[in-house]
Amino acid sequence: MKFIAITLIVHRPDPVTGVQKSTHERFREVLDNAVLAEELGFDGFGVGERHERPFISSSPTVVLSHVAALTHRIRLFTAVTTLSLLDPVRAYEDYATLDHLSEGRLDLIIGKGNGTAQRELFHVTPEDQWDRNAESYEVFRQLWRQDKVTAQTRFRPPLTDAEVWPRPFQQPVRVWHGSATSKESVDLAARYGDPLFSANVTHPMEPYADLIRHYRERWEHYGHDPAGLAIGAGTAGICVAPTTQEALAAYRPVFEANLAFLKQSGLPVVFETLEDFVERSSALIGSPQQVIDKVHRYHEQFGHTVLHLLADAGGLTDARHRASLELFQSQVAPVLRRAIPDPPFAWGPVLPASPLAQESAGV
């Protein structure tokens, strides 16, 4: 099993202390967390993309380019690239550049994205967002693989023998499809034989398990080899401590502050108590053995081979969060790595195009 740390770069007051860092401090924290993730042995570091309050993750390629300069081994993920909002040509240019700067360490997780404000900002409607996502991905996919692209498009000017530079380092790049609640992303992933990444954050296990079962069915429907299927899954929070009691005590102020925020904001509350949150959500809160058992319980339903954890403290003190990640990597990750297989593809940099292919492309 592989483990990645992700951040959506939420920028709001600390849920427990009420202190809000400056924008500059928040970006510096993200960079520090990426370096820490590599030092602790995580396999990947992901940065989200959002275009509305309270996120400052509108430019993941810029952030990941800086992370690429500070790290050497860890793979770099987007979480997610909101292709329904983006011009696929411009997105290709940005990510092909990042692919070179990171020495082929880039993985993409794409999705339509969520949020009314960002849809309005880009003039995307609920009715056309899925069609936009599919069209953008199809064009993006062609641009990455072909030297010249012709595409009759609805949501951007058509392309006729278009050449887009730079040509990428990886050929092809690995693209995951982020899935939260809808079958459209699942079907798109299965159609192209791409891996799926389940959000697995807001609700209990069942709706996510249903979507993953649908993904497996569609994968077979499109004629792909079941051995090539790969699934990742998220987690709603992390606090690993030597004992269950210590983990609960440390996380309780965070949960209660987040619960109060949801109620005050009029947002739906799924888990009314910390105990219910620990039991029925994907959060990894407890002793190392508790966390191991929970990941296994989810794996029985999902069959996932990649797991993401939150890179940010999220209300825990920095010292507590670091201790939690260190304990995860020393006592949890080794057990899960032995028990759960890796995804069915190489995790290192995907090989660049051959010199002959580069020559024919004019590189």
Side-chain angles (χ1 to χ4, degrees):
M1 182 170 240
K2 299 294 187 183
F3 304 97
I4 67 175
I6 75 157
T7 177
L8 301 181
I9 322 186
V10 177
H11 189 228
R12 64 181 179 91
D14 183 287
V16 177
T17 67
V19 174
Q20 178 158 329
K21 297 178 180 179
S22 69
T23 300
H24 182 79
E25 290 171 327
R26 186 69 182 94
F27 280 125
R28 175 50 55 185
E29 183 177 56
V30 170
L31 300 177
D32 291 343
N33 286 341
V35 171
L36 175 63
E38 179 165 89
E39 290 176 353
L40 293 179
F42 280 88
D43 303 292
F45 185 83
V47 174
E49 180 182 334
R50 298 291 188 276
H51 298 272
E52 61 184 328
R53 186 192 302 267
F55 306 98
I56 53 173
S57 51
S58 56
S59 300
T61 49
V62 176
V63 178
L64 287 171
S65 292
H66 199 152
V67 171
L70 296 174
T71 59
H72 305 282
R73 175 196 56 80
I74 200 166
R75 288 198 69 79
L76 308 178
F77 283 75
T78 61
V80 299
T81 296
T82 54
L83 277 183
S84 65
L85 310 178
L86 305 177
D87 183 318
V89 174
R90 192 69 184 96
Y92 164 81
E93 292 172 334
D94 285 345
Y95 283 109
T97 301
L98 174 57
D99 191 36
H100 281 279
L101 296 177
S102 66
E103 300 287 348
R105 287 187 281 146
L106 175 65
D107 273 54
L108 290 172
I109 306 176
I110 68 164
K112 73 169 182 63
N114 294 303
T116 301
Q118 64 180 7
R119 280 202 308 268
E120 292 177 348
L121 187 65
F122 289 89
H123 298 280
V124 173
T125 69
E127 292 74 28
D128 69 20
Q129 59 186 347
W130 288 111
D131 290 340
R132 286 177 178 272
N133 184 64
E135 177 182 288
S136 290
Y137 178 53
E138 288 160 4
V139 172
F140 183 95
R141 182 183 175 88
Q142 291 180 59
L143 290 169
W144 201 281
R145 287 165 169 76
Q146 301 172 21
D147 296 334
K148 294 184 178 181
V149 171
T150 296
Q152 298 301 314
T153 50
R154 291 174 53 199
F155 301 108
R156 60 145 289 126
L159 300 173
T160 303
D161 287 334
E163 295 183 88
V164 186
W165 297 88
R167 300 311 301 151
F169 184 77
Q170 298 182 84
Q171 190 59 274
V173 71
R174 188 159 46 241
V175 178
W176 304 69
H177 294 248
S179 166
T181 59
S182 58
K183 292 183 177 180
E184 286 87 349
S185 289
V186 168
D187 190 79
L188 189 65
R191 186 189 320 165
Y192 284 107
D194 293 332
L196 182 75
F197 217 107
S198 173
N200 190 39
V201 169
T202 306
H203 304 287
M205 180 191 301
E206 290 75 17
Y208 302 112
D210 287 342
L211 280 175
I212 290 172
R213 282 191 287 271
H214 181 69
Y215 170 64
R216 293 180 182 276
E217 292 168 1
R218 300 305 290 171
W219 180 276
E220 293 188 13
H221 169 80
Y222 288 114
H224 302 301
D225 183 352
L229 185 147
I231 296 167
T235 54
I238 181 169
C239 183
V240 189
T243 68
T244 302
Q245 293 77 13
E246 187 176 347
L248 290 174
Y251 203 82
R252 191 174 299 279
V254 178
F255 175 82
E256 291 178 349
N258 287 332
L259 180 63
F261 174 79
L262 291 174
K263 291 181 176 179
Q264 181 181 2
S265 303
L267 298 172
V269 174
V270 179
F271 308 102
E272 290 280 359
T273 67
L274 174 60
E275 288 71 21
D276 187 39
F277 182 65
V278 171
E279 175 62 26
R280 295 195 303 123
S281 84
S282 62
L284 302 179
I285 300 169
S287 67
Q289 188 58 53
Q290 247 185 314
V291 169
I292 291 168
D293 292 343
K294 189 168 198 178
V295 173
H296 274 296
R297 192 165 79 242
Y298 270 79
H299 179 71
E300 289 173 1
Q301 296 295 318
F302 293 178
H304 58 308
T305 53
V306 180
L307 183 71
H308 90 48
L309 309 174
L310 298 181
D312 301 316
L316 297 173
T317 66
D318 290 342
R320 168 63 72 177
H321 183 58
R322 177 170 184 139
S324 175
L325 295 181
E326 289 175 343
L327 193 57
F328 180 90
Q329 285 290 15
S330 65
Q331 295 191 26
V332 176
V335 176
L336 295 174
R337 289 186 194 278
R338 289 192 298 267
I340 298 175
D342 286 342
F345 40 70
W347 194 261
V350 177
L351 293 176
S354 68
L356 181 61
Q358 290 180 350
E359 182 179 343
S360 67
V363 177

